């Protein structure tokens, strides 16, 4: 759930990437192509060439000194290392309980990721495609998140629940869904729960 936050969300989303390959490059490019995004990004130095290109393209993308430095400077961490080195690369890191962790490693099970990133609690898997660089295409997320699903459904049903102007000049249902997705992607956990509490009678923990 979690990255252009609404006008009521003052804090900057701090997003970190452990693993700096083609998929990381595509995700960062897509995120930073949104006007007025509120995301500060740290990338690991492992692939120095890709990391340097991203830092040169985007003012608020920085190359961290190490993978641990990525974690230390981030609220949400995306894991994009090759599965065959995941045990060594991730198992050596110290995660915080409040880290939101999103694994991009398709062949590593959710249970295994949870073991590697303990004591972090909020852990999900995602399978984005390279076209995310153009903010296109679906992204599979597992397990499904009730808070995110509820918010997306409510915003789709009643656009007046979004900040003024968010859906202005939409070009069809696809554009509407894309804009709602961007709005939700800009939320920290705390703000997502606040929005859910505003719109629904019962709000679960975002876990």
């Amino acid at each position: 759930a979690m990255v252009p936050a609404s006008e009521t969300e003052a804090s900057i989303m701090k997003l970190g990437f452990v693993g700096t390959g083609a998929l990381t490059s595509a995700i960062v490019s897509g995120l930073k192509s949104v006007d007025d995004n509120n995301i500060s990004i740290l990338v690991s130095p492992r692939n120095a060439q890709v990391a340097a290109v991203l830092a040169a393209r985007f003012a608020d993308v920085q190359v961290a000194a190490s993978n641990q430095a990525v974690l230390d400077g981030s609220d949400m961490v995306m894991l994009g290392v090759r599965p065959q080195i995941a045990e060594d690369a991730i198992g050596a890191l110290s995660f915080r309980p409040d880290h939101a962790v999103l694994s991009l490693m398709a062949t590593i099970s959710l249970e295994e990721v949870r073991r590697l990133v303990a004591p972090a609690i909020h852990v999900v898997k995602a399978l984005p495609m390279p076209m995310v660089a153009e903010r296109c295409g679906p992204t599979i997320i597992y397990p499904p998140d009730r808070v995110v699903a509820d918010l997306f459904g409510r915003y789709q049903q009643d656009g007046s629940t979004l900040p003024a102007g968010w859906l202005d000049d939409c070009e069809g249902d696809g554009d509407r869904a894309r804009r709602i997705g961007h709005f939700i992607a800009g939320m920290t956990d705390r703000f997502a729960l606040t929005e859910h509490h505003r719109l629904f009678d019962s709000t679960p923990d975002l876990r």
Side-chain angles (χ1 to χ4, degrees), residues 3 6 21 36 59 107 112 122 129 135 176 180 190 201-202:
V3 191
S6 90
D36 300 322
T107 60
E112 184 67 7
H122 187 195
M129 299 292 104
R135 308 200 308 272
R176 179 186 180 92
I180 292 171
R190 176 174 55 82
D201 294 332
S202 175

Side-chain angles (χ1 to χ4, degrees), residues 43 48-63:
V43 295
Q49 182 176 6
V50 173
V53 168
L54 291 173
R57 285 182 63 194
F58 307 110
D60 48 2
V61 174
Q62 298 181 351
V63 182

Side-chain angles (χ1 to χ4, degrees), residues 14 53 71 83 98 105 108 110 112 130 132 134 137 156 175 185 197:
K14 297 177 181 179
V53 168
L71 269 62
D98 65 333
M105 303 177 294
I108 304 293
L110 183 64
E112 184 67 7
V132 296
E134 306 298 328
Q156 280 275 48
D175 188 33
H197 183 72

Side-chain angles (χ1 to χ4, degrees), residues 6 8 151 155 161-163 183 187 190-200 203:
S6 90
T8 62
L151 290 174
Y155 295 147
T161 55
L162 287 161
F183 179 73
M187 295 180 180
R190 176 174 55 82
F191 184 66
L193 291 172
T194 299
E195 274 290 274
H196 196 280
H197 183 72
R198 178 176 72 88
L199 297 171
F200 296 92
T203 297

Side-chain angles (χ1 to χ4, degrees), residues 33-185:
S33 68
V34 179
D35 293 338
D36 300 322
N37 66 77
N38 200 31
I39 316 164
S40 173
I41 294 177
L42 277 175
V43 295
S44 63
R46 185 173 181 88
N47 188 327
Q49 182 176 6
V50 173
V53 168
L54 291 173
R57 285 182 63 194
F58 307 110
D60 48 2
V61 174
Q62 298 181 351
V63 182
S66 65
N67 286 343
Q68 186 60 52
V70 171
L71 269 62
D72 295 343
S74 302
D75 302 315
M76 182 176 190
V77 181
M78 292 195 175
L79 305 177
V81 301
R82 288 178 287 119
Q84 55 266 40
I85 66 168
E87 182 75 33
D88 292 336
I90 299 172
L93 302 176
S94 297
F95 288 80
R96 302 191 308 266
D98 65 333
H99 269 136
V101 179
L102 193 153
S103 172
L104 305 172
M105 303 177 294
T107 60
I108 304 293
S109 70
L110 183 64
E111 291 71 23
E112 184 67 7
V113 175
R114 283 175 171 158
R115 181 184 68 81
L116 290 171
V117 305
I121 298 172
H122 187 195
V123 183
V124 298
K125 293 186 63 177
L127 189 61
M129 299 292 104
M131 68 276 291
V132 296
E134 306 298 328
R135 308 200 308 272
C136 296
T139 295
I140 300 170
I141 297 177
Y142 175 82
D145 191 300
R146 178 188 155 191
V147 170
V148 173
D150 285 350
L151 290 174
F152 189 90
R154 179 58 62 87
Y155 295 147
Q156 280 275 48
Q157 181 183 40
D158 183 2
S160 69
T161 55
L162 287 161
W166 197 264
L167 297 179
D168 286 355
D169 303 320
C170 274
E171 299 178 358
D173 292 342
D175 188 33
R176 179 186 180 92
R178 178 181 62 80
R179 294 193 192 190
I180 292 171
H182 288 163
F183 179 73
I184 294 175

